[in-house]
Amino acid sequence: MSHEGIRFVDKDTAARQTEADRPLSRIAVTPEKVRVLLSEGKGLEIDWADGHHSAWTFAWLREACPCATCIEERTQQGRKPGQPKPAPANLLPMYTPPPKPGSAHAVGRYALQFNWLDGHSGGIYSWEYLRRVCQCRECTFAAEEATGTPN
Ligand SMILES: [Zn+2]
Ligand SMILES: [Zn+2]
């Protein structure tokens, strides 16, 4: 019996894709305020208990979906979380509306889940994952330093 083709992606894999083992303190992954700017269509903002502030656009979050399917697709295409798919070269450019969730809800006390308007909803965005993919200048600079590649 062959197990080839079956791959297990545990919930921490998405976080490991970005910055391997940067230790995060408990307060660094505890959100104090979470704002999902649904009606504005802007994105997600989190104020963390350690005073840090993070913001992501919905388009970025959709491309950083931490579900097993999306992680596998990004890995195959060599994309980082949040990096959009390359536009197909042999097709006429088509207008696609920017990704947006129809709704969002908390998963227990550890994560957020988005119901994207494209029908996808499998990604559980844990606070730890979100903090690790913080897009503020300070964090993206630290990530560049760590990996040696521009973000
Ligand atoms: Zn996904
Ligand atoms: Zn940050």
Side-chain angles (χ1 to χ4, degrees):
M1 190 166 129
S2 167
H3 286 275
E4 254 178 282
I6 301 175
R7 280 208 272 155
F8 296 95
V9 180
D10 67 79
K11 68 176 168 59
D12 293 326
T13 306
R16 261 191 258 116
Q17 273 189 324
T18 54
E19 278 187 74
D21 295 310
R22 177 166 56 115
L24 290 173
S25 65
R26 187 153 189 82
I27 55 165
V29 294
T30 303
E32 200 130 80
K33 259 188 215 161
V34 179
R35 287 179 296 272
V36 184
L37 305 168
L38 270 185
S39 46
E40 298 95 325
K42 271 173 77 179
L44 170 68
E45 291 180 8
I46 297 179
D47 295 332
W48 303 98
D50 66 351
H52 202 78
H53 177 79
S54 304
W56 305 264
T57 64
F58 287 131
W60 195 96
L61 290 165
R62 178 65 185 85
E63 299 295 355
C65 176
C67 84
T69 310
C70 291
I71 290 174
E72 184 160 329
E73 192 183 294
R74 283 199 302 273
T75 307
Q76 277 169 5
Q77 299 174 353
R79 285 189 290 129
K80 288 181 187 178
Q83 203 178 333
K85 295 181 185 87
N90 55 348
L91 289 175
L92 288 172
M94 247 186 350
Y95 175 76
T96 42
K100 213 187 129 177
S103 61
H105 62 267
V107 179
R109 293 172 57 176
Y110 77 97
L112 257 189
Q113 185 175 3
F114 295 101
N115 296 306
W116 300 99
L117 290 178
D118 63 11
H120 196 66
S121 62
I124 308 288
Y125 295 72
S126 71
W127 305 133
E128 177 160 357
Y129 175 63
L130 288 167
R131 178 62 189 254
R132 284 190 186 276
V133 296
C134 175
Q135 291 298 292
C136 82
R137 201 183 295 189
E138 193 187 319
C139 292
T140 50
F141 183 74
E144 270 179 46
E145 291 276 284
T147 59
T149 51
N151 212 354

